[in-house]
Amino acid sequence: MPAKPIIKPEAVSIASGNGIQSFIESIDIDGDNKKYQQMYDKIAPFYNLSNKLYFWLKFGGEANYRRQFLDELEIREGDRVLEVSCGTGDNFRFLPANIELHGLDISMGMLRACQRHLKKWELNASLYHASAEDLPFENAAFDVVYHVGGINFFNDKRKAIEEMIRVAKPGTKLILVDETEKLVKGTYEKIPFVGSQFKHHSAIQAPVDLIPPTMQDVQVKEICDGLMYCLSFRVPGID
Ligand SMILES: C[S@@+](CC[C@H](N)C(=O)[O-])C[C@H]1O[C@@H](n2cnc3c(N)ncnc32)[C@H](O)[C@@H]1O
């Protein structure tokens, strides 16, 4: 049976010249999305290395950090897997082999760095430049959908959650991971040059209240020594 198409017919592709399909123009990005898109575009060349260093110091290695949430995913061989806000693609290296990888992000700088990493790691993934709040994908296109590290500061968290649910197949377990107030206040706000970007926000909480009541097995826990939360839930299956 041929694979179900991924891109929804009404999604307008702006460009794909560099191997990354773009569905958003810079001019159409506003609010906090604009602020963080610009910040990530700037820090993309250093992001991977500085993170690696931080994870070594804090958790004794990157795998010790990423496994704490990636092990929550239910991935089977051949699955079509989507990371919303994939950044420089660092989670991809820790996923099982023989799956179909798809990554989406609002920062073209991060996606370009991701492309370079994929080449270095000899991995394949389809990359998309778009906003989490307006995914260019068909309904129920993915077997696995997850997000790490951006949702706290999205313009519209509720819309992004609705979109992730829409593109996941019935029965999928979704995970949403982001930093807690402890990490933002204790570390992010103190980072030279970018720290000021994280100030003046309301207190961070896992967006449990935004999960539609029809979702099942909603769970939230603190991971990584209380520096991150992992919110998981299951899209109802077909009876
Ligand atoms: C902290 S990084 C996390 C990258 C990756 N998920 C990881 O775990 O290393 C956050 C990412 O969220 C992206 N992002 C921020 N706002 C977004 C939005 N509205 N839609 C899609 N991606 C967004 C940023 O460009 C950035 O790459």
PDB file of all heavy atoms in Angstrom, residues 166-190:
ATOM      1  N   ARG A 166      -3.788  16.850  15.913  1.00  0.00           N
ATOM      2  CA  ARG A 166      -4.414  16.665  14.582  1.00  0.00           C
ATOM      3  C   ARG A 166      -3.561  15.790  13.661  1.00  0.00           C
ATOM      4  O   ARG A 166      -4.086  14.940  12.946  1.00  0.00           O
ATOM      5  CB  ARG A 166      -4.641  18.051  13.927  1.00  0.00           C
ATOM      6  CG  ARG A 166      -5.298  18.018  12.567  1.00  0.00           C
ATOM      7  CD  ARG A 166      -5.433  19.390  11.949  1.00  0.00           C
ATOM      8  NE  ARG A 166      -4.181  20.027  11.588  1.00  0.00           N
ATOM      9  CZ  ARG A 166      -3.428  19.719  10.534  1.00  0.00           C
ATOM     10  NH1 ARG A 166      -3.812  18.733   9.723  1.00  0.00           N
ATOM     11  NH2 ARG A 166      -2.293  20.366  10.280  1.00  0.00           N
ATOM     12  N   VAL A 167      -2.239  15.997  13.700  1.00  0.00           N
ATOM     13  CA  VAL A 167      -1.391  15.280  12.737  1.00  0.00           C
ATOM     14  C   VAL A 167      -0.953  13.900  13.242  1.00  0.00           C
ATOM     15  O   VAL A 167      -0.279  13.159  12.523  1.00  0.00           O
ATOM     16  CB  VAL A 167      -0.154  16.118  12.304  1.00  0.00           C
ATOM     17  CG1 VAL A 167      -0.592  17.455  11.726  1.00  0.00           C
ATOM     18  CG2 VAL A 167       0.843  16.313  13.442  1.00  0.00           C
ATOM     19  N   ALA A 168      -1.315  13.573  14.503  1.00  0.00           N
ATOM     20  CA  ALA A 168      -0.947  12.259  15.057  1.00  0.00           C
ATOM     21  C   ALA A 168      -2.054  11.245  14.768  1.00  0.00           C
ATOM     22  O   ALA A 168      -3.237  11.583  14.775  1.00  0.00           O
ATOM     23  CB  ALA A 168      -0.742  12.385  16.564  1.00  0.00           C
ATOM     24  N   LYS A 169      -1.638  10.011  14.525  1.00  0.00           N
ATOM     25  CA  LYS A 169      -2.644   8.953  14.284  1.00  0.00           C
ATOM     26  C   LYS A 169      -3.404   8.645  15.566  1.00  0.00           C
ATOM     27  O   LYS A 169      -2.841   8.804  16.663  1.00  0.00           O
ATOM     28  CB  LYS A 169      -1.934   7.676  13.819  1.00  0.00           C
ATOM     29  CG  LYS A 169      -1.453   7.752  12.405  1.00  0.00           C
ATOM     30  CD  LYS A 169      -0.905   6.420  11.941  1.00  0.00           C
ATOM     31  CE  LYS A 169      -0.377   6.572  10.524  1.00  0.00           C
ATOM     32  NZ  LYS A 169       0.531   5.503  10.130  1.00  0.00           N
ATOM     33  N   PRO A 170      -4.646   8.189  15.458  1.00  0.00           N
ATOM     34  CA  PRO A 170      -5.378   7.777  16.664  1.00  0.00           C
ATOM     35  C   PRO A 170      -4.559   6.737  17.429  1.00  0.00           C
ATOM     36  O   PRO A 170      -3.913   5.881  16.833  1.00  0.00           O
ATOM     37  CB  PRO A 170      -6.658   7.136  16.103  1.00  0.00           C
ATOM     38  CG  PRO A 170      -6.813   7.720  14.733  1.00  0.00           C
ATOM     39  CD  PRO A 170      -5.428   8.005  14.228  1.00  0.00           C
ATOM     40  N   GLY A 171      -4.544   6.873  18.752  1.00  0.00           N
ATOM     41  CA  GLY A 171      -3.801   5.918  19.589  1.00  0.00           C
ATOM     42  C   GLY A 171      -2.383   6.353  19.912  1.00  0.00           C
ATOM     43  O   GLY A 171      -1.717   5.763  20.753  1.00  0.00           O
ATOM     44  N   THR A 172      -1.895   7.440  19.251  1.00  0.00           N
ATOM     45  CA  THR A 172      -0.510   7.892  19.471  1.00  0.00           C
ATOM     46  C   THR A 172      -0.334   8.499  20.858  1.00  0.00           C
ATOM     47  O   THR A 172      -1.172   9.270  21.320  1.00  0.00           O
ATOM     48  CB  THR A 172      -0.149   8.991  18.432  1.00  0.00           C
ATOM     49  OG1 THR A 172      -0.343   8.465  17.133  1.00  0.00           O
ATOM     50  CG2 THR A 172       1.282   9.467  18.587  1.00  0.00           C
ATOM     51  N   LYS A 173       0.819   8.157  21.486  1.00  0.00           N
ATOM     52  CA  LYS A 173       1.195   8.836  22.735  1.00  0.00           C
ATOM     53  C   LYS A 173       2.055  10.040  22.372  1.00  0.00           C
ATOM     54  O   LYS A 173       3.097   9.892  21.725  1.00  0.00           O
ATOM     55  CB  LYS A 173       1.990   7.872  23.620  1.00  0.00           C
ATOM     56  CG  LYS A 173       2.436   8.485  24.920  1.00  0.00           C
ATOM     57  CD  LYS A 173       3.285   7.490  25.714  1.00  0.00           C
ATOM     58  CE  LYS A 173       3.788   8.122  27.000  1.00  0.00           C
ATOM     59  NZ  LYS A 173       4.734   7.234  27.701  1.00  0.00           N
ATOM     60  N   LEU A 174       1.622  11.238  22.758  1.00  0.00           N
ATOM     61  CA  LEU A 174       2.390  12.467  22.476  1.00  0.00           C
ATOM     62  C   LEU A 174       3.190  12.862  23.704  1.00  0.00           C
ATOM     63  O   LEU A 174       2.703  12.707  24.818  1.00  0.00           O
ATOM     64  CB  LEU A 174       1.441  13.623  22.165  1.00  0.00           C
ATOM     65  CG  LEU A 174       1.153  13.889  20.689  1.00  0.00           C
ATOM     66  CD1 LEU A 174       0.095  12.942  20.188  1.00  0.00           C
ATOM     67  CD2 LEU A 174       0.661  15.314  20.511  1.00  0.00           C
ATOM     68  N   ILE A 175       4.396  13.400  23.495  1.00  0.00           N
ATOM     69  CA  ILE A 175       5.086  13.987  24.646  1.00  0.00           C
ATOM     70  C   ILE A 175       5.498  15.430  24.340  1.00  0.00           C
ATOM     71  O   ILE A 175       5.908  15.767  23.230  1.00  0.00           O
ATOM     72  CB  ILE A 175       6.288  13.160  25.155  1.00  0.00           C
ATOM     73  CG1 ILE A 175       7.459  13.164  24.186  1.00  0.00           C
ATOM     74  CG2 ILE A 175       5.907  11.743  25.527  1.00  0.00           C
ATOM     75  CD1 ILE A 175       8.771  12.794  24.844  1.00  0.00           C
ATOM     76  N   LEU A 176       5.326  16.269  25.346  1.00  0.00           N
ATOM     77  CA  LEU A 176       5.722  17.682  25.272  1.00  0.00           C
ATOM     78  C   LEU A 176       6.686  17.929  26.423  1.00  0.00           C
ATOM     79  O   LEU A 176       6.330  17.715  27.585  1.00  0.00           O
ATOM     80  CB  LEU A 176       4.514  18.603  25.448  1.00  0.00           C
ATOM     81  CG  LEU A 176       3.284  18.353  24.578  1.00  0.00           C
ATOM     82  CD1 LEU A 176       2.173  19.326  24.937  1.00  0.00           C
ATOM     83  CD2 LEU A 176       3.643  18.511  23.106  1.00  0.00           C
ATOM     84  N   VAL A 177       7.894  18.369  26.084  1.00  0.00           N
ATOM     85  CA  VAL A 177       8.939  18.558  27.099  1.00  0.00           C
ATOM     86  C   VAL A 177       9.430  20.001  27.015  1.00  0.00           C
ATOM     87  O   VAL A 177       9.647  20.518  25.913  1.00  0.00           O
ATOM     88  CB  VAL A 177      10.120  17.596  26.823  1.00  0.00           C
ATOM     89  CG1 VAL A 177      11.250  17.813  27.819  1.00  0.00           C
ATOM     90  CG2 VAL A 177       9.659  16.143  26.838  1.00  0.00           C
ATOM     91  N   ASP A 178       9.575  20.639  28.163  1.00  0.00           N
ATOM     92  CA  ASP A 178      10.189  21.974  28.143  1.00  0.00           C
ATOM     93  C   ASP A 178      10.758  22.279  29.527  1.00  0.00           C
ATOM     94  O   ASP A 178      10.583  21.505  30.473  1.00  0.00           O
ATOM     95  CB  ASP A 178       9.190  23.042  27.696  1.00  0.00           C
ATOM     96  CG  ASP A 178       9.895  24.209  26.974  1.00  0.00           C
ATOM     97  OD1 ASP A 178      11.143  24.271  27.011  1.00  0.00           O
ATOM     98  OD2 ASP A 178       9.205  25.051  26.375  1.00  0.00           O
ATOM     99  N   GLU A 179      11.410  23.435  29.626  1.00  0.00           N
ATOM    100  CA  GLU A 179      12.073  23.732  30.890  1.00  0.00           C
ATOM    101  C   GLU A 179      11.075  24.217  31.943  1.00  0.00           C
ATOM    102  O   GLU A 179      10.046  24.797  31.614  1.00  0.00           O
ATOM    103  CB  GLU A 179      13.189  24.761  30.707  1.00  0.00           C
ATOM    104  CG  GLU A 179      12.809  26.084  30.105  1.00  0.00           C
ATOM    105  CD  GLU A 179      12.864  26.117  28.586  1.00  0.00           C
ATOM    106  OE1 GLU A 179      13.709  25.440  27.986  1.00  0.00           O
ATOM    107  OE2 GLU A 179      12.039  26.823  27.988  1.00  0.00           O
ATOM    108  N   THR A 180      11.441  23.963  33.189  1.00  0.00           N
ATOM    109  CA  THR A 180      10.642  24.465  34.309  1.00  0.00           C
ATOM    110  C   THR A 180      11.140  25.866  34.663  1.00  0.00           C
ATOM    111  O   THR A 180      12.199  26.308  34.199  1.00  0.00           O
ATOM    112  CB  THR A 180      10.810  23.554  35.539  1.00  0.00           C
ATOM    113  OG1 THR A 180      12.207  23.511  35.860  1.00  0.00           O
ATOM    114  CG2 THR A 180      10.296  22.150  35.295  1.00  0.00           C
ATOM    115  N   GLU A 181      10.380  26.503  35.535  1.00  0.00           N
ATOM    116  CA  GLU A 181      10.754  27.826  36.033  1.00  0.00           C
ATOM    117  C   GLU A 181      12.168  27.783  36.655  1.00  0.00           C
ATOM    118  O   GLU A 181      12.938  28.735  36.525  1.00  0.00           O
ATOM    119  CB  GLU A 181       9.702  28.236  37.073  1.00  0.00           C
ATOM    120  CG  GLU A 181       9.826  29.620  37.631  1.00  0.00           C
ATOM    121  CD  GLU A 181       9.356  30.709  36.676  1.00  0.00           C
ATOM    122  OE1 GLU A 181       8.966  30.414  35.530  1.00  0.00           O
ATOM    123  OE2 GLU A 181       9.422  31.886  37.083  1.00  0.00           O
ATOM    124  N   LYS A 182      12.465  26.636  37.299  1.00  0.00           N
ATOM    125  CA  LYS A 182      13.774  26.494  37.971  1.00  0.00           C
ATOM    126  C   LYS A 182      14.927  26.684  36.968  1.00  0.00           C
ATOM    127  O   LYS A 182      15.897  27.377  37.258  1.00  0.00           O
ATOM    128  CB  LYS A 182      13.836  25.092  38.598  1.00  0.00           C
ATOM    129  CG  LYS A 182      15.078  24.807  39.404  1.00  0.00           C
ATOM    130  CD  LYS A 182      14.946  23.423  40.056  1.00  0.00           C
ATOM    131  CE  LYS A 182      16.293  22.902  40.509  1.00  0.00           C
ATOM    132  NZ  LYS A 182      16.216  21.518  41.011  1.00  0.00           N
ATOM    133  N   LEU A 183      14.815  26.108  35.788  1.00  0.00           N
ATOM    134  CA  LEU A 183      15.897  26.222  34.801  1.00  0.00           C
ATOM    135  C   LEU A 183      15.942  27.628  34.186  1.00  0.00           C
ATOM    136  O   LEU A 183      17.024  28.199  33.987  1.00  0.00           O
ATOM    137  CB  LEU A 183      15.713  25.167  33.696  1.00  0.00           C
ATOM    138  CG  LEU A 183      16.761  25.151  32.581  1.00  0.00           C
ATOM    139  CD1 LEU A 183      18.171  24.969  33.142  1.00  0.00           C
ATOM    140  CD2 LEU A 183      16.484  24.050  31.567  1.00  0.00           C
ATOM    141  N   VAL A 184      14.761  28.187  33.913  1.00  0.00           N
ATOM    142  CA  VAL A 184      14.737  29.516  33.284  1.00  0.00           C
ATOM    143  C   VAL A 184      15.316  30.557  34.240  1.00  0.00           C
ATOM    144  O   VAL A 184      16.198  31.334  33.872  1.00  0.00           O
ATOM    145  CB  VAL A 184      13.301  29.899  32.847  1.00  0.00           C
ATOM    146  CG1 VAL A 184      13.250  31.317  32.320  1.00  0.00           C
ATOM    147  CG2 VAL A 184      12.807  28.942  31.779  1.00  0.00           C
ATOM    148  N   LYS A 185      14.833  30.530  35.493  1.00  0.00           N
ATOM    149  CA  LYS A 185      15.299  31.535  36.464  1.00  0.00           C
ATOM    150  C   LYS A 185      16.747  31.277  36.874  1.00  0.00           C
ATOM    151  O   LYS A 185      17.560  32.203  36.981  1.00  0.00           O
ATOM    152  CB  LYS A 185      14.425  31.486  37.733  1.00  0.00           C
ATOM    153  CG  LYS A 185      13.092  32.163  37.576  1.00  0.00           C
ATOM    154  CD  LYS A 185      13.078  33.512  38.305  1.00  0.00           C
ATOM    155  CE  LYS A 185      11.918  34.399  37.940  1.00  0.00           C
ATOM    156  NZ  LYS A 185      11.882  34.933  36.617  1.00  0.00           N
ATOM    157  N   GLY A 186      17.087  29.995  37.092  1.00  0.00           N
ATOM    158  CA  GLY A 186      18.404  29.659  37.657  1.00  0.00           C
ATOM    159  C   GLY A 186      19.523  29.703  36.633  1.00  0.00           C
ATOM    160  O   GLY A 186      20.679  29.938  36.983  1.00  0.00           O
ATOM    161  N   THR A 187      19.199  29.485  35.351  1.00  0.00           N
ATOM    162  CA  THR A 187      20.271  29.401  34.345  1.00  0.00           C
ATOM    163  C   THR A 187      20.034  30.318  33.147  1.00  0.00           C
ATOM    164  O   THR A 187      20.844  31.203  32.860  1.00  0.00           O
ATOM    165  CB  THR A 187      20.442  27.937  33.857  1.00  0.00           C
ATOM    166  OG1 THR A 187      20.639  27.109  34.990  1.00  0.00           O
ATOM    167  CG2 THR A 187      21.610  27.794  32.898  1.00  0.00           C
ATOM    168  N   TYR A 188      18.911  30.105  32.426  1.00  0.00           N
ATOM    169  CA  TYR A 188      18.714  30.828  31.161  1.00  0.00           C
ATOM    170  C   TYR A 188      18.852  32.345  31.325  1.00  0.00           C
ATOM    171  O   TYR A 188      19.497  33.008  30.518  1.00  0.00           O
ATOM    172  CB  TYR A 188      17.338  30.529  30.571  1.00  0.00           C
ATOM    173  CG  TYR A 188      17.199  29.180  29.911  1.00  0.00           C
ATOM    174  CD1 TYR A 188      18.170  28.201  30.060  1.00  0.00           C
ATOM    175  CD2 TYR A 188      16.089  28.876  29.137  1.00  0.00           C
ATOM    176  CE1 TYR A 188      18.025  26.956  29.471  1.00  0.00           C
ATOM    177  CE2 TYR A 188      15.946  27.636  28.539  1.00  0.00           C
ATOM    178  CZ  TYR A 188      16.914  26.686  28.717  1.00  0.00           C
ATOM    179  OH  TYR A 188      16.761  25.467  28.127  1.00  0.00           O
ATOM    180  N   GLU A 189      18.211  32.861  32.372  1.00  0.00           N
ATOM    181  CA  GLU A 189      18.202  34.324  32.528  1.00  0.00           C
ATOM    182  C   GLU A 189      19.592  34.872  32.812  1.00  0.00           C
ATOM    183  O   GLU A 189      19.818  36.075  32.703  1.00  0.00           O
ATOM    184  CB  GLU A 189      17.224  34.724  33.643  1.00  0.00           C
ATOM    185  CG  GLU A 189      15.775  34.538  33.229  1.00  0.00           C
ATOM    186  CD  GLU A 189      14.781  35.067  34.260  1.00  0.00           C
ATOM    187  OE1 GLU A 189      15.206  35.669  35.257  1.00  0.00           O
ATOM    188  OE2 GLU A 189      13.569  34.857  34.047  1.00  0.00           O
ATOM    189  N   LYS A 190      20.522  33.975  33.180  1.00  0.00           N
ATOM    190  CA  LYS A 190      21.873  34.443  33.514  1.00  0.00           C
ATOM    191  C   LYS A 190      22.857  34.299  32.340  1.00  0.00           C
ATOM    192  O   LYS A 190      24.022  34.666  32.447  1.00  0.00           O
ATOM    193  CB  LYS A 190      22.399  33.653  34.707  1.00  0.00           C
ATOM    194  CG  LYS A 190      21.574  33.919  35.959  1.00  0.00           C
ATOM    195  CD  LYS A 190      22.072  33.140  37.145  1.00  0.00           C
ATOM    196  CE  LYS A 190      21.172  33.452  38.341  1.00  0.00           C
ATOM    197  NZ  LYS A 190      21.091  32.355  39.293  1.00  0.00           N
TER     198      LYS A 190
END
